[in-house]
Structures are given as C-alpha cells and as structure tokens.
Amino acid sequence: MEVLLENSVQPSFDPKNIWKECLKIIKDNLPLITYNTWFIPIKPLSFENKVLKIEVPNNFFIEWIDEHYKVLIDRVIYSVIGEGGKIIYVINKEKEDQLSIFDDEPISQTLINLDKKSGVQKADTNVESNLNPQYTFFNFIKGEGNQLARAAAVAIAENPGITSFNPFFVYGGVGLGKTHLVQAIGNEITRKFPSKKVIYLSTDTFTVEFVDSIQANKVNEFSNFYKSMDVLIIDDIQFLIGKERTQDLFFQIFNILHQSQKQIILTSDKPPKDLNGMSERLISRFQWGLTADVQPPDFETRMAILKNKSASFGIEISSEILEYIAANITSNIRELEGCLIRLLANSSLNSMNITFELAKKTVKEISTGKTTKVNIDFIASVVCEVLGVDENSLREKNRKKEIALARQIAMYLSKKLTNFSLKTIGLHFGGRDHSTVIHAFNSVEKQMKLDDNLRETVNSIKTKIEVMAG
Ligand code: ADP
Ligand code: MG
C-alpha cells in the first residue's frame, strides 16, 4: 500500500483532522457504498497520546468493521498516527463505559494496539529460522488458483501479527505452492523486520522435537522456545492428526502466541473442518483468522511458471515447447518444475539442443515413469506414513482395526496403481492369498462410497503416491 510511513502527526492534533486523514485513505481503498455505510457514521471524539477515540452507532458496527476492515484500519492508523497508534471505539455517548460494553469480548477487539515494540523482547539474532531464501514473493507466480492466499500472505508480511489473518491457514493439494508461499512470508518478514524472531518448521520436525524434549525432560524449554517467537510457521499441520499430546502442547503455544498478537501461519492438505482426528478446539482456532486455499494452476499460470523458471535457470526455451509442457503436465507445480529440470538434464546429458522432440520424450518419460516407479512396498510405506501405522504390522497377523484398515487400503491402492497380480500383492502383505486381496479391494471400494472421510483419505494417499513417484 502506498501509505506514508513517517510519523506525521503530533499527539496534540485535533481528532477531526486525524480522522479526516484516515478517511482519505479509507475512501481510496473501499467501494464508495461501503465507505458511506460504515465510515461516514463514525465521529471522532478525542486524540491523546496517540490514541484516537471514535464513536460508532452500535456494537454490531464494531464487530462488522473489525471483521471486515481491520487490516485496512490497522494500516491507516499506522500510517496516520505512526508506531504506537491506537484506535478505540466507543458506542454512542457512553464514553466512560467503553470497556464494560464488551464484557465478554476480548479487549483486543475494541482496542487496536499498534505498538509493535510493547512486550516484545529483543530478538536473538542467532535463532535459526530454517527458511529457504529461495522461496520469495518475487518468484511466486500469481494465478487464479492462489490469488487470495497470495494477497493475504503479502498483507501479513507487511504487518505480521496485527492483521486479522491470524492464524493464516493455507490449504490445498501437494505441489501447489503452500510451502513456497508461507516461507516467502517468513523471508519477507525477516527482511523487513530483522529483529523479529521467525521460525519455519514442518509438523514432523515439531513432533520429533517434542518427543525428544519429553525424553530429555525439557518440555518446558521446548515450549518456551516456540512461545517466544514473533512468527511461527508450521507446515503440513495435518500430520498432527492422531498425535494428541503434541496437539495439546501446540494448543498452548498457539494460545500464547495469538494472545500476544504474534503471527501464526499454518499449511494443511485440507481445510480445518475436514481435519478428522484433530481436536475440536484446535480446529476452531484454525478458523479464527483467514483460511485460504491454493488450487491447481490454470494454463496461463503454468506457462508463466515455466517461463519464470527457465529464465531463472538462464536458458531460453521456445514458447512452443513450454506450451507443450504446460498442456501436458497439469496437476501440480512441482511436477511442472520436475519436467523442466528433467528436460534440461536430458539435453545436457545427451549434448542435445532442447527441441520439441526432446520435450515430447521427456514428458512421456515422466508420464510412464509414474507407473513403473510405483511399487507395492512404496505404496505400503506411504499408506503407513499417512495413517501413522507401523509398516511391519501390515505383514503380521495383527487384526487391530486401524492396522487392518491400513492393510486393506494398501492392497486396494496396489491393485489400482500397479499391474501386479493379486497373488503378488497378497505375497507382499505377509503371504495372504488372492481372495483376501479381492476382499480388501471390494471392501475399500464399497466403504469409500459410503464414507466421505475414508474416500478423502484414500484419495489423498493416492495423490501423494503419484506425486512422490512423479
Ligand atoms: P506444496 O507445499 O503445496 O506441496 P511447494 O510450495 O513445495 O508445494 O511447491 C512445489 C514447487 O513448486 C516448489 O518448487 C515451488 O517453488 C513451486 N511453486 C509452487 N507454486 C508456485 C508459484 N505460484 N510460482 C512459482 N513457483 C511455484
Ligand atoms: Mg509443502
């Protein structure tokens, strides 16, 4: 946003003038009807010590404005009043009772505190952020599928913790840019606010560290470390499913960070409400801020990504070839990049120019490579990883419900994704015979029709296998 970032106004200014300045920016950023409905009725009351008190018609007004225009107001206040600026809403003439009106509302809802320094300790400079500096906004291509997620990400990077996008929850299929986008936020914040403590980690790392800390009797240290962050980015939060103790601890960390307006950023393969096995209180918190999805890229976006990538490799590839790749590799961006890299590899390994023929051959390799690389053991390992089951147990006589189900799903996917015979598949699962495999196949297929969760789980495992093998 093109707002003045200098502290331009002195504390003794007339509230009317301050509010007028605010309105100018607000008006430029909203449709006129919205502006007239929600902002014209507001009256400035006082301005003292960087606190602007304004009067609104009723409580609903506050809630509406806070829910829909908080980001804008935060920025406006910051640009007009400067660091430490605050806005207080007061209903009608009840100026003195401003806080008692919101008995059961958190004060933060009525008091927008922009003093970013308050309560923040000086950051340790040596906190390892784990960020990959290559993931930036600059090289993140904007497309229809990621528009909202990207816009929100940029807004968060400008004002971490104080936009209403907290937590910021990005979800979508594999290889669609979730990790890239959330790391771009982290990198941008690190660049803009070098003193902020930013950390990125996968849910798996978080879980492993937590388990280690239990063993080392250092759970407090572990949790205090994360509670001291300004920006916490956790990738693939769906892997907390089924890990109740880790969920409990994460819940505490979440609350502390959120209360102190620290930014929380999460990614997941599905929206919060579909995270079966995640505690309800976490699911509800995941929905507190902004949930945005990333969708597979359309043709134009795929072209733009290919062009950008090839340029970053310093090579020129004809549009004809890029179009061919973009038309044939459609489901995810990681595959798209993989194809380009393989094309380059093919060209340099064989000392050939990048020709249309070579591109065709490479695309074909990628498509056929998929079916040959996927084998039964690989399928079993992905199924076990996703369902949190020990791989060996699939080969044992174990009849525990979750193990039996994992075994059946692994058999089902082996039949679907490979050309191996029922007999061979049975042999991989502890020497079961072919009728067991048929039974498993039919049973999973039937249950998938009846049970949405199961269908989604199986489909997501399938996608994962296909992408990993891609
Ligand atoms: P996810 O976390 O959703 O599985 P990633 O963020 O790992 O996906 O993205 C996979 C690859 O695709 C990465 O190399 C990333 O840089 C690239 N990528 C994804 N989305 C975009 C985009 N919009 N523009 C450029 N590159 C992208
Ligand atoms: Mg990822």
Side-chain angles (χ1 to χ4, degrees), residues 52-63:
L52 177 67
K53 216 181 255 186
I54 55 174
E55 187 188 279
V56 294
N58 52 46
N59 203 353
F60 174 65
F61 234 83
I62 297 182
E63 279 171 20

Side-chain angles (χ1 to χ4, degrees), residues 174 370 374-375 378-383 413-414 417 458-470:
V174 267
K370 257 185 201 168
V374 175
N375 61 43
F378 179 68
I379 292 172
S381 74
V382 178
V383 169
L413 288 173
S414 299
L417 300 175
V458 175
N459 285 337
S460 77
I461 296 173
K462 186 164 162 261
T463 315
K464 190 165 183 171
I465 292 169
E466 286 169 346
V467 170
M468 286 170 74

Side-chain angles (χ1 to χ4, degrees), residues 135 139-141 146 173-180 333-334 337:
Y135 290 133
N139 61 15
F140 187 82
I141 306 289
N146 60 37
V174 267
L176 297 181
K178 301 182 297 295
T179 298
H180 185 140
I333 298 166
R334 186 172 299 141
E337 283 187 358

Side-chain angles (χ1 to χ4, degrees), residues 43-54:
K43 280 196 211 118
L45 295 176
S46 67
F47 181 65
E48 263 172 81
N49 299 326
K50 295 195 172 184
V51 177
L52 177 67
K53 216 181 255 186
I54 55 174

